[in-house]
Each structure stands twice: as structure tokens, then as C-alpha cells.
Amino acid sequence: MARVIRGLHATVVLAAGAVLWGGAASAKDFVVGLSWDTKDTLVQSWEDYAQSEGKTLGAAAGVTIKWIINVANNDPAQQAANIEDLINQGVNVIVARAKDGTAIGASIRAAQQANIPFITFDRESISAKPTAHVGADSYAHAALAATGLVDELKKQGQTAKCIELLGSQVDTNAVNFSKGWNDVTKKSGVVETVVQVPTEWNPDLFLSGTTNAFKAHPEANCLFVASDFALSAVQAAVESVGRWKPAGQPGHVWMASVGLLPNAVKAMKDGYLDVSALWDSYAHAAELDRVIIAIAKGQEPGCGDKGCLASGRIVTPATIDSMPNVWSKTYADK
């Protein structure tokens, strides 16, 4: 595990005349400055996978990745200072999960002025273009969840009238979640969304919105949860209307989600959550390593217009125990 390092003096210097794609391509060690906005279980899983997969992928490519890691504790000013420190240390590339998509632009420009490539991770910059962006394809995640639920309904000869729990509509991921869900379900022939419930990613609104939606639509037998981080609030709401039943029992509410975060693992194992599109930190980290290695070798990373994006994986109660690299299982009981 890399140590969290702050305020060190310069230890690595870029070769003179370095350019964005190949400044240190010939170096045996490629130093990555990694700036986290915060540290939680998801971030820790990204870090663990990036380090472990970086060793494997780097060895195959002849690149040894070294990591310098710092954490901003949810403070954009601290993140800017941390990134300035990484620039001063002369790292070969900077990776940052931005606390503030606007503020990160100043750090991107500062790195580029120092001829240091800059990769945004998970969250995009909205004020400056980085060298590359690596993240999740949020549209694909929701489409996967919707497809998984549709397939299961068809297999069992069932139809569903669904309550869609929206995320914040100023969050591009949340907008994409809704679009992916509706693009698949509207043409499915087995799923009808009867109401959309705004939550603004607020657990209290997940609770009240779900409760009110079931009261207004007692015919509903399905939920799409745009992110299952607030699943405990959803559970409380469904329990309040007497509908929290595992699959196979009368009154079961079909449920699909995006994330399969740690607090959703038990619900899936117990049969309450039917399908989830895993927010796949393993795939995100492996893609990050691939892009880092491409930059280390002076190659274009080959990202599309929206960046180098990883899709999720469908997880169900039947597959959750056997599926490898499901990060949330590690943290479910912690």
C-alpha cells in the first residue's frame, strides 16, 4: 500500500524537453502522482487495484510504475496544493479525481505548462481539457442493469411497473443513468416506468420519495435505483408499505440498481436486489493503468470523444458469490 505523501521536496525530474505523450518514455521507472479528493472504500479499492494491476500490466509492457499518493480531504484548495506539490516533485504523469470539476482546470493547466500529462479519473474536468480522461460509462451501466432486469422478467414470464429513483439532474452520470434505463425499458415490452422520483442524491428524499410513489402507484412492483448507496433508505420505504419481500415470495418488488456498493451486497445475497450493474472499480483501475502505460511509452491512449470509459458487469444473486474482483464484497461487512 502506497503511503500518503505531502509536502516533499522534488525527487524526480522530467527529462529536458519532455512533451505530453513521451517525456519519460525511455525511463525504467514511471512516477505517477495520484491526487484523491477523499478516501473511502471505493477510492481505496481503486487504489489497491491500480497498484496491483499496474505491476502486472507494467511488467508485461516493460514499465515500472511508482506511485506518489495524496488526499485532499474533500477540500478543492487542498487538492490544488497537493497537485502543485506533485508538479514540483517532477512526477511523470498526474492522475486526479477532482473534488471540483471547475477548480481542477487550474491544476490541469499548471501541469501542462510543466509538460506533465494530466489524467482526470472518474470525474471529468469542465474547465480545461486533460491529456486523457478515464472513468465509467454511466449510460452503459444503466443499460446493463435494465437489460439484466428485462431478461429476468422475460425468462419468468413477468411484467413490471417501475418506480424510477432519479439522481441529481445536474449530475451528468445521473442523467445518463436515466437515459440508459429508459432507452432499454421503453422498447422491452415488459417494463413500464410509471413515475420518476427526484432524489438529488439525498437519502431522505430516497425514503420519502419511494414511500410516496408506492402510495400513489400501488400497482408498482418494480424499482430502478440509480445508485444503491442509499439502499437502506429505499428498504425502509418499501418496508413501510409492506413490500420488502425476497424473490419468490408474494409481493416481491423487482429491483435493479447501479453500483452494487457495499451496503447493497447483503440485499442482493438475501434476494431483495435482483440485478445490479457493478460500478466496476477493477475495470476502471485496469483502464487507468493501460492509459498510464501508453503515455509512459509515448503512445496515444486511444480514448474516444468521452474518454477511456469502462462498462460495468451485471451481478445477480446467482453470480455474486462466484464473480471475481467485486470490490464491494470486501467491504460489505466492515
Side-chain angles (χ1 to χ4, degrees), residues 77-138:
Q78 182 62 55
Q79 185 162 46
N82 288 350
I83 293 172
E84 182 179 5
D85 182 61
L86 295 172
I87 293 171
N88 290 338
Q89 291 184 66
V91 299
N92 297 116
V93 64
I94 291 172
V95 178
R97 184 189 192 225
K99 173 60 181 175
D100 185 314
T102 299
I104 200 68
S107 295
I108 293 172
R109 289 187 289 270
Q112 291 174 342
Q113 287 170 5
N115 288 324
I116 300 175
F118 198 109
I119 302 170
T120 50
F121 181 72
D122 185 51
R123 294 174 181 157
E124 297 179 68
S125 166
I126 58 176
S127 59
K129 185 175 178 60
T131 308
H133 173 71
V134 175
D137 188 333
S138 48

Short mmCIF file of all heavy atoms in Angstrom, two decimals, residues 77-138:
data_model
loop_
_atom_site.label_atom_id
_atom_site.label_comp_id
_atom_site.label_asym_id
_atom_site.label_seq_id
_atom_site.Cartn_x
_atom_site.Cartn_y
_atom_site.Cartn_z
N ALA A 77 -9.14 23.47 -2.46
CA ALA A 77 -7.89 24.22 -2.29
C ALA A 77 -6.74 23.30 -1.89
O ALA A 77 -5.61 23.45 -2.38
CB ALA A 77 -8.09 25.32 -1.24
N GLN A 78 -7.03 22.35 -1.01
CA GLN A 78 -6.00 21.39 -0.62
C GLN A 78 -5.60 20.51 -1.80
O GLN A 78 -4.42 20.19 -1.98
CB GLN A 78 -6.48 20.51 0.53
CG GLN A 78 -5.45 19.51 1.04
CD GLN A 78 -4.21 20.19 1.60
OE1 GLN A 78 -4.31 21.02 2.49
NE2 GLN A 78 -3.05 19.85 1.07
N GLN A 79 -6.56 20.15 -2.63
CA GLN A 79 -6.23 19.34 -3.80
C GLN A 79 -5.33 20.12 -4.75
O GLN A 79 -4.36 19.57 -5.29
CB GLN A 79 -7.48 18.87 -4.52
CG GLN A 79 -7.17 17.92 -5.68
CD GLN A 79 -8.36 17.13 -6.14
OE1 GLN A 79 -9.46 17.66 -6.31
NE2 GLN A 79 -8.16 15.82 -6.36
N ALA A 80 -5.63 21.39 -4.94
CA ALA A 80 -4.77 22.21 -5.80
C ALA A 80 -3.35 22.27 -5.24
O ALA A 80 -2.36 22.18 -6.00
CB ALA A 80 -5.36 23.61 -5.94
N ALA A 81 -3.22 22.42 -3.93
CA ALA A 81 -1.89 22.46 -3.30
C ALA A 81 -1.20 21.11 -3.42
O ALA A 81 0.02 21.05 -3.67
CB ALA A 81 -2.02 22.86 -1.83
N ASN A 82 -1.95 20.03 -3.26
CA ASN A 82 -1.36 18.70 -3.39
C ASN A 82 -0.83 18.45 -4.80
O ASN A 82 0.24 17.86 -5.00
CB ASN A 82 -2.40 17.62 -3.05
CG ASN A 82 -2.71 17.56 -1.56
OD1 ASN A 82 -2.04 18.17 -0.75
ND2 ASN A 82 -3.75 16.82 -1.22
N ILE A 83 -1.60 18.90 -5.80
CA ILE A 83 -1.17 18.72 -7.18
C ILE A 83 0.03 19.60 -7.49
O ILE A 83 0.96 19.18 -8.20
CB ILE A 83 -2.34 18.99 -8.15
CG1 ILE A 83 -3.42 17.91 -7.97
CG2 ILE A 83 -1.86 19.03 -9.60
CD1 ILE A 83 -4.71 18.17 -8.72
N GLU A 84 0.06 20.81 -6.95
CA GLU A 84 1.24 21.66 -7.12
C GLU A 84 2.48 20.98 -6.55
O GLU A 84 3.56 21.04 -7.14
CB GLU A 84 1.02 23.00 -6.42
CG GLU A 84 2.19 23.97 -6.59
CD GLU A 84 1.95 25.30 -5.90
OE1 GLU A 84 0.92 25.45 -5.22
OE2 GLU A 84 2.80 26.20 -6.05
N ASP A 85 2.31 20.29 -5.43
CA ASP A 85 3.42 19.56 -4.83
C ASP A 85 3.90 18.45 -5.76
O ASP A 85 5.10 18.22 -5.93
CB ASP A 85 2.99 18.99 -3.48
CG ASP A 85 4.11 18.25 -2.77
OD1 ASP A 85 5.12 18.89 -2.47
OD2 ASP A 85 3.95 17.05 -2.52
N LEU A 86 2.95 17.75 -6.40
CA LEU A 86 3.32 16.70 -7.34
C LEU A 86 4.07 17.27 -8.53
O LEU A 86 5.04 16.67 -9.03
CB LEU A 86 2.07 15.95 -7.80
CG LEU A 86 1.32 15.16 -6.73
CD1 LEU A 86 -0.01 14.63 -7.28
CD2 LEU A 86 2.16 14.02 -6.18
N ILE A 87 3.62 18.43 -9.01
CA ILE A 87 4.33 19.10 -10.11
C ILE A 87 5.75 19.43 -9.70
O ILE A 87 6.71 19.20 -10.44
CB ILE A 87 3.56 20.36 -10.56
CG1 ILE A 87 2.21 19.97 -11.19
CG2 ILE A 87 4.39 21.19 -11.54
CD1 ILE A 87 1.30 21.15 -11.45
N ASN A 88 5.89 19.98 -8.49
CA ASN A 88 7.22 20.36 -8.00
C ASN A 88 8.14 19.15 -7.84
O ASN A 88 9.37 19.27 -7.96
CB ASN A 88 7.10 21.10 -6.67
CG ASN A 88 6.49 22.48 -6.83
OD1 ASN A 88 6.52 23.07 -7.90
ND2 ASN A 88 5.90 23.00 -5.76
N GLN A 89 7.55 17.99 -7.56
CA GLN A 89 8.35 16.78 -7.43
C GLN A 89 8.77 16.22 -8.79
O GLN A 89 9.63 15.34 -8.87
CB GLN A 89 7.58 15.71 -6.67
CG GLN A 89 7.36 16.05 -5.20
CD GLN A 89 6.67 14.91 -4.47
OE1 GLN A 89 7.25 13.85 -4.34
NE2 GLN A 89 5.46 15.14 -4.01
N GLY A 90 8.17 16.74 -9.87
CA GLY A 90 8.56 16.29 -11.19
C GLY A 90 8.07 14.91 -11.54
O GLY A 90 8.78 14.14 -12.19
N VAL A 91 6.85 14.58 -11.10
CA VAL A 91 6.30 13.27 -11.47
C VAL A 91 6.13 13.20 -12.98
O VAL A 91 6.10 14.22 -13.67
CB VAL A 91 4.96 13.01 -10.76
CG1 VAL A 91 5.14 13.01 -9.25
CG2 VAL A 91 3.90 14.04 -11.18
N ASN A 92 6.02 12.00 -13.52
CA ASN A 92 5.90 11.82 -14.97
C ASN A 92 4.48 12.01 -15.49
O ASN A 92 4.27 12.34 -16.65
CB ASN A 92 6.39 10.44 -15.37
CG ASN A 92 7.86 10.23 -15.07
OD1 ASN A 92 8.21 9.38 -14.25
ND2 ASN A 92 8.73 11.01 -15.69
N VAL A 93 3.49 11.77 -14.63
CA VAL A 93 2.11 11.98 -15.00
C VAL A 93 1.32 12.22 -13.72
O VAL A 93 1.68 11.70 -12.65
CB VAL A 93 1.53 10.77 -15.78
CG1 VAL A 93 1.50 9.52 -14.93
CG2 VAL A 93 0.13 11.07 -16.34
N ILE A 94 0.26 13.02 -13.83
CA ILE A 94 -0.63 13.27 -12.69
C ILE A 94 -1.99 12.68 -12.99
O ILE A 94 -2.52 12.83 -14.10
CB ILE A 94 -0.75 14.78 -12.39
CG1 ILE A 94 0.58 15.31 -11.85
CG2 ILE A 94 -1.87 15.05 -11.38
CD1 ILE A 94 0.63 16.81 -11.71
N VAL A 95 -2.54 11.98 -12.01
CA VAL A 95 -3.90 11.45 -12.08
C VAL A 95 -4.68 12.08 -10.93
O VAL A 95 -4.20 12.12 -9.80
CB VAL A 95 -3.93 9.91 -11.92
CG1 VAL A 95 -5.37 9.40 -11.94
CG2 VAL A 95 -3.10 9.25 -13.01
N ALA A 96 -5.88 12.60 -11.22
CA ALA A 96 -6.66 13.24 -10.17
C ALA A 96 -8.13 12.91 -10.30
O ALA A 96 -8.70 12.95 -11.40
CB ALA A 96 -6.49 14.76 -10.21
N ARG A 97 -8.73 12.55 -9.17
CA ARG A 97 -10.18 12.50 -9.06
C ARG A 97 -10.60 13.83 -8.45
O ARG A 97 -10.38 14.09 -7.27
CB ARG A 97 -10.63 11.34 -8.18
CG ARG A 97 -12.15 11.18 -8.12
CD ARG A 97 -12.54 10.17 -7.08
NE ARG A 97 -13.94 9.78 -7.17
CZ ARG A 97 -14.75 9.68 -6.13
NH1 ARG A 97 -14.32 9.95 -4.90
NH2 ARG A 97 -16.00 9.31 -6.29
N ALA A 98 -11.19 14.68 -9.25
CA ALA A 98 -11.43 16.06 -8.86
C ALA A 98 -12.53 16.18 -7.83
O ALA A 98 -13.60 15.58 -7.96
CB ALA A 98 -11.79 16.90 -10.08
N LYS A 99 -12.27 16.97 -6.81
CA LYS A 99 -13.34 17.36 -5.90
C LYS A 99 -14.26 18.36 -6.57
O LYS A 99 -15.47 18.34 -6.38
CB LYS A 99 -12.75 17.96 -4.61
CG LYS A 99 -13.77 18.56 -3.66
CD LYS A 99 -14.79 17.53 -3.20
CE LYS A 99 -15.83 18.13 -2.27
NZ LYS A 99 -16.87 17.15 -1.91
N ASP A 100 -13.69 19.24 -7.38
CA ASP A 100 -14.43 20.31 -8.04
C ASP A 100 -14.04 20.29 -9.52
O ASP A 100 -12.89 20.54 -9.86
CB ASP A 100 -14.09 21.65 -7.40
CG ASP A 100 -14.91 22.80 -7.94
OD1 ASP A 100 -15.05 22.91 -9.17
OD2 ASP A 100 -15.40 23.61 -7.14
N GLY A 101 -15.02 19.99 -10.38
CA GLY A 101 -14.74 19.87 -11.80
C GLY A 101 -14.33 21.16 -12.47
O GLY A 101 -13.73 21.14 -13.55
N THR A 102 -14.67 22.28 -11.85
CA THR A 102 -14.23 23.58 -12.38
C THR A 102 -12.84 23.93 -11.86
O THR A 102 -11.94 24.29 -12.64
CB THR A 102 -15.23 24.68 -12.01
OG1 THR A 102 -16.50 24.38 -12.58
CG2 THR A 102 -14.76 26.03 -12.53
N ALA A 103 -12.65 23.82 -10.58
CA ALA A 103 -11.37 24.20 -9.97
C ALA A 103 -10.21 23.37 -10.48
O ALA A 103 -9.07 23.85 -10.56
CB ALA A 103 -11.46 24.08 -8.45
N ILE A 104 -10.45 22.12 -10.88
CA ILE A 104 -9.36 21.25 -11.31
C ILE A 104 -8.70 21.76 -12.58
O ILE A 104 -7.56 21.43 -12.88
CB ILE A 104 -9.87 19.80 -11.51
CG1 ILE A 104 -8.71 18.79 -11.46
CG2 ILE A 104 -10.63 19.66 -12.82
CD1 ILE A 104 -8.07 18.65 -10.12
N GLY A 105 -9.41 22.62 -13.31
CA GLY A 105 -8.85 23.15 -14.56
C GLY A 105 -7.55 23.90 -14.35
O GLY A 105 -6.63 23.81 -15.18
N ALA A 106 -7.44 24.65 -13.26
CA ALA A 106 -6.20 25.38 -12.99
C ALA A 106 -5.03 24.42 -12.79
O ALA A 106 -3.91 24.69 -13.24
CB ALA A 106 -6.38 26.27 -11.76
N SER A 107 -5.29 23.30 -12.13
CA SER A 107 -4.23 22.32 -11.91
C SER A 107 -3.84 21.63 -13.21
O SER A 107 -2.66 21.34 -13.45
CB SER A 107 -4.69 21.27 -10.90
OG SER A 107 -4.90 21.85 -9.63
N ILE A 108 -4.81 21.36 -14.07
CA ILE A 108 -4.51 20.77 -15.38
C ILE A 108 -3.60 21.69 -16.17
O ILE A 108 -2.58 21.26 -16.74
CB ILE A 108 -5.81 20.48 -16.15
CG1 ILE A 108 -6.61 19.38 -15.45
CG2 ILE A 108 -5.51 20.09 -17.59
CD1 ILE A 108 -7.99 19.16 -16.04
N ARG A 109 -3.94 22.98 -16.19
CA ARG A 109 -3.13 23.93 -16.96
C ARG A 109 -1.73 24.06 -16.37
O ARG A 109 -0.73 24.15 -17.12
CB ARG A 109 -3.84 25.29 -17.01
CG ARG A 109 -5.09 25.28 -17.90
CD ARG A 109 -5.67 26.67 -18.07
NE ARG A 109 -6.29 27.15 -16.84
CZ ARG A 109 -7.57 26.97 -16.52
NH1 ARG A 109 -8.36 26.29 -17.34
NH2 ARG A 109 -8.07 27.45 -15.40
N ALA A 110 -1.64 24.05 -15.05
CA ALA A 110 -0.32 24.15 -14.42
C ALA A 110 0.55 22.95 -14.77
O ALA A 110 1.76 23.09 -15.04
CB ALA A 110 -0.47 24.28 -12.91
N ALA A 111 -0.03 21.77 -14.76
CA ALA A 111 0.72 20.56 -15.11
C ALA A 111 1.16 20.60 -16.56
O ALA A 111 2.31 20.28 -16.89
CB ALA A 111 -0.12 19.32 -14.83
N GLN A 112 0.26 21.00 -17.42
CA GLN A 112 0.60 21.03 -18.84
C GLN A 112 1.68 22.07 -19.13
O GLN A 112 2.53 21.86 -20.02
CB GLN A 112 -0.66 21.28 -19.66
CG GLN A 112 -1.61 20.08 -19.62
CD GLN A 112 -2.94 20.33 -20.30
OE1 GLN A 112 -3.34 21.48 -20.53
NE2 GLN A 112 -3.65 19.25 -20.62
N GLN A 113 1.68 23.17 -18.40
CA GLN A 113 2.75 24.16 -18.56
C GLN A 113 4.10 23.59 -18.15
O GLN A 113 5.14 24.02 -18.66
CB GLN A 113 2.43 25.42 -17.75
CG GLN A 113 1.30 26.26 -18.34
CD GLN A 113 0.83 27.36 -17.40
OE1 GLN A 113 1.40 27.56 -16.33
NE2 GLN A 113 -0.22 28.07 -17.79
N ALA A 114 4.07 22.61 -17.25
CA ALA A 114 5.30 21.93 -16.83
C ALA A 114 5.57 20.69 -17.67
O ALA A 114 6.46 19.89 -17.34
CB ALA A 114 5.20 21.55 -15.36
N ASN A 115 4.82 20.52 -18.78
CA ASN A 115 4.98 19.36 -19.67
C ASN A 115 4.73 18.04 -18.95
O ASN A 115 5.39 17.03 -19.23
CB ASN A 115 6.36 19.36 -20.33
CG ASN A 115 6.50 20.43 -21.38
OD1 ASN A 115 5.55 20.72 -22.09
ND2 ASN A 115 7.68 21.03 -21.46
N ILE A 116 3.79 18.05 -18.04
CA ILE A 116 3.40 16.83 -17.33
C ILE A 116 1.99 16.45 -17.79
O ILE A 116 1.05 17.22 -17.60
CB ILE A 116 3.42 17.02 -15.80
CG1 ILE A 116 4.83 17.40 -15.32
CG2 ILE A 116 2.94 15.76 -15.10
CD1 ILE A 116 4.89 17.73 -13.83
N PRO A 117 1.81 15.27 -18.38
CA PRO A 117 0.47 14.84 -18.77
C PRO A 117 -0.45 14.76 -17.56
O PRO A 117 0.00 14.45 -16.45
CB PRO A 117 0.70 13.46 -19.38
CG PRO A 117 2.14 13.42 -19.74
CD PRO A 117 2.84 14.28 -18.74
N PHE A 118 -1.72 14.98 -17.79
CA PHE A 118 -2.71 15.02 -16.70
C PHE A 118 -3.89 14.14 -17.09
O PHE A 118 -4.51 14.33 -18.14
CB PHE A 118 -3.17 16.45 -16.47
CG PHE A 118 -3.84 16.69 -15.13
CD1 PHE A 118 -3.20 17.44 -14.15
CD2 PHE A 118 -5.11 16.18 -14.85
CE1 PHE A 118 -3.80 17.67 -12.92
CE2 PHE A 118 -5.72 16.41 -13.63
CZ PHE A 118 -5.06 17.16 -12.66
N ILE A 119 -4.22 13.17 -16.22
CA ILE A 119 -5.36 12.28 -16.44
C ILE A 119 -6.42 12.58 -15.38
O ILE A 119 -6.13 12.51 -14.19
CB ILE A 119 -4.95 10.81 -16.33
CG1 ILE A 119 -3.85 10.46 -17.34
CG2 ILE A 119 -6.16 9.89 -16.54
CD1 ILE A 119 -3.23 9.09 -17.11
N THR A 120 -7.62 12.94 -15.82
CA THR A 120 -8.72 13.01 -14.87
C THR A 120 -9.31 11.61 -14.72
O THR A 120 -9.39 10.85 -15.69
CB THR A 120 -9.81 14.01 -15.32
OG1 THR A 120 -10.18 13.72 -16.67
CG2 THR A 120 -9.31 15.43 -15.21
N PHE A 121 -9.74 11.29 -13.50
CA PHE A 121 -10.22 9.95 -13.22
C PHE A 121 -11.59 10.01 -12.54
O PHE A 121 -11.77 10.77 -11.58
CB PHE A 121 -9.23 9.22 -12.31
CG PHE A 121 -9.61 7.80 -11.97
CD1 PHE A 121 -9.53 6.80 -12.92
CD2 PHE A 121 -10.05 7.47 -10.70
CE1 PHE A 121 -9.89 5.50 -12.63
CE2 PHE A 121 -10.42 6.17 -10.38
CZ PHE A 121 -10.34 5.18 -11.35
N ASP A 122 -12.54 9.27 -13.05
CA ASP A 122 -13.89 9.14 -12.52
C ASP A 122 -14.73 10.39 -12.74
O ASP A 122 -15.87 10.29 -13.17
CB ASP A 122 -13.86 8.77 -11.03
CG ASP A 122 -15.26 8.51 -10.47
OD1 ASP A 122 -16.00 7.72 -11.09
OD2 ASP A 122 -15.62 9.09 -9.43
N ARG A 123 -14.19 11.56 -12.43
CA ARG A 123 -14.92 12.81 -12.61
C ARG A 123 -14.21 13.68 -13.63
O ARG A 123 -13.01 13.90 -13.55
CB ARG A 123 -15.03 13.57 -11.29
CG ARG A 123 -15.88 12.84 -10.26
CD ARG A 123 -15.83 13.56 -8.94
NE ARG A 123 -16.61 12.87 -7.92
CZ ARG A 123 -16.41 12.99 -6.62
NH1 ARG A 123 -15.44 13.79 -6.17
NH2 ARG A 123 -17.16 12.33 -5.76
N GLU A 124 -14.98 14.18 -14.57
CA GLU A 124 -14.40 14.97 -15.65
C GLU A 124 -14.14 16.41 -15.22
O GLU A 124 -14.81 16.95 -14.35
CB GLU A 124 -15.34 14.96 -16.85
CG GLU A 124 -15.56 13.58 -17.46
CD GLU A 124 -16.51 13.64 -18.63
OE1 GLU A 124 -16.13 14.20 -19.67
OE2 GLU A 124 -17.63 13.12 -18.50
N SER A 125 -13.19 17.04 -15.89
CA SER A 125 -12.99 18.48 -15.77
C SER A 125 -13.98 19.19 -16.69
O SER A 125 -14.21 18.75 -17.82
CB SER A 125 -11.56 18.86 -16.17
OG SER A 125 -11.46 20.26 -16.37
N ILE A 126 -14.55 20.28 -16.21
CA ILE A 126 -15.46 21.07 -17.05
C ILE A 126 -14.86 22.42 -17.40
O ILE A 126 -15.54 23.26 -17.97
CB ILE A 126 -16.83 21.24 -16.37
CG1 ILE A 126 -16.71 21.92 -15.01
CG2 ILE A 126 -17.53 19.90 -16.22
CD1 ILE A 126 -18.04 22.21 -14.35
N SER A 127 -13.58 22.61 -17.07
CA SER A 127 -12.98 23.92 -17.32
C SER A 127 -11.66 23.85 -18.07
O SER A 127 -11.14 24.89 -18.48
CB SER A 127 -12.75 24.66 -15.99
OG SER A 127 -11.91 23.91 -15.14
N ALA A 128 -11.10 22.68 -18.28
CA ALA A 128 -9.87 22.53 -19.05
C ALA A 128 -9.79 21.10 -19.54
O ALA A 128 -10.26 20.17 -18.86
CB ALA A 128 -8.64 22.88 -18.21
N LYS A 129 -9.20 20.90 -20.69
CA LYS A 129 -9.12 19.55 -21.27
C LYS A 129 -7.84 18.87 -20.80
O LYS A 129 -6.74 19.37 -21.03
CB LYS A 129 -9.13 19.64 -22.80
CG LYS A 129 -9.16 18.27 -23.49
CD LYS A 129 -9.29 18.44 -24.98
CE LYS A 129 -9.27 17.09 -25.69
NZ LYS A 129 -10.37 16.22 -25.25
N PRO A 130 -7.96 17.72 -20.14
CA PRO A 130 -6.78 16.99 -19.71
C PRO A 130 -6.17 16.22 -20.86
O PRO A 130 -6.72 16.19 -21.98
CB PRO A 130 -7.34 16.03 -18.65
CG PRO A 130 -8.72 15.74 -19.15
CD PRO A 130 -9.21 17.03 -19.77
N THR A 131 -5.05 15.60 -20.60
CA THR A 131 -4.43 14.74 -21.61
C THR A 131 -5.35 13.56 -21.92
O THR A 131 -5.47 13.13 -23.07
CB THR A 131 -3.08 14.22 -21.09
OG1 THR A 131 -2.29 15.33 -20.63
CG2 THR A 131 -2.33 13.47 -22.16
N ALA A 132 -5.98 13.02 -20.90
CA ALA A 132 -6.92 11.91 -21.07
C ALA A 132 -7.88 11.88 -19.90
O ALA A 132 -7.57 12.40 -18.82
CB ALA A 132 -6.17 10.57 -21.17
N HIS A 133 -9.04 11.28 -20.12
CA HIS A 133 -9.99 11.04 -19.03
C HIS A 133 -10.28 9.55 -18.96
O HIS A 133 -10.52 8.90 -19.99
CB HIS A 133 -11.30 11.80 -19.25
CG HIS A 133 -12.36 11.44 -18.24
ND1 HIS A 133 -12.27 11.83 -16.92
CD2 HIS A 133 -13.49 10.68 -18.34
CE1 HIS A 133 -13.31 11.34 -16.26
NE2 HIS A 133 -14.06 10.65 -17.10
N VAL A 134 -10.26 9.01 -17.75
CA VAL A 134 -10.58 7.60 -17.53
C VAL A 134 -11.73 7.54 -16.53
O VAL A 134 -11.68 8.20 -15.48
CB VAL A 134 -9.38 6.82 -16.98
CG1 VAL A 134 -9.78 5.37 -16.65
CG2 VAL A 134 -8.22 6.84 -17.97
N GLY A 135 -12.74 6.78 -16.85
CA GLY A 135 -13.88 6.70 -15.93
C GLY A 135 -14.82 5.59 -16.31
O GLY A 135 -14.45 4.65 -17.01
N ALA A 136 -16.04 5.71 -15.84
CA ALA A 136 -17.07 4.72 -16.09
C ALA A 136 -18.05 5.23 -17.13
O ALA A 136 -18.34 6.43 -17.20
CB ALA A 136 -17.81 4.39 -14.80
N ASP A 137 -18.55 4.34 -17.94
CA ASP A 137 -19.59 4.68 -18.91
C ASP A 137 -20.93 4.55 -18.19
O ASP A 137 -21.50 3.47 -18.08
CB ASP A 137 -19.51 3.72 -20.09
CG ASP A 137 -20.44 4.12 -21.23
OD1 ASP A 137 -21.47 4.77 -20.94
OD2 ASP A 137 -20.16 3.77 -22.39
N SER A 138 -21.41 5.67 -17.66
CA SER A 138 -22.61 5.64 -16.83
C SER A 138 -23.85 5.23 -17.64
O SER A 138 -24.73 4.54 -17.10
CB SER A 138 -22.82 6.99 -16.15
OG SER A 138 -22.70 8.06 -17.06
#
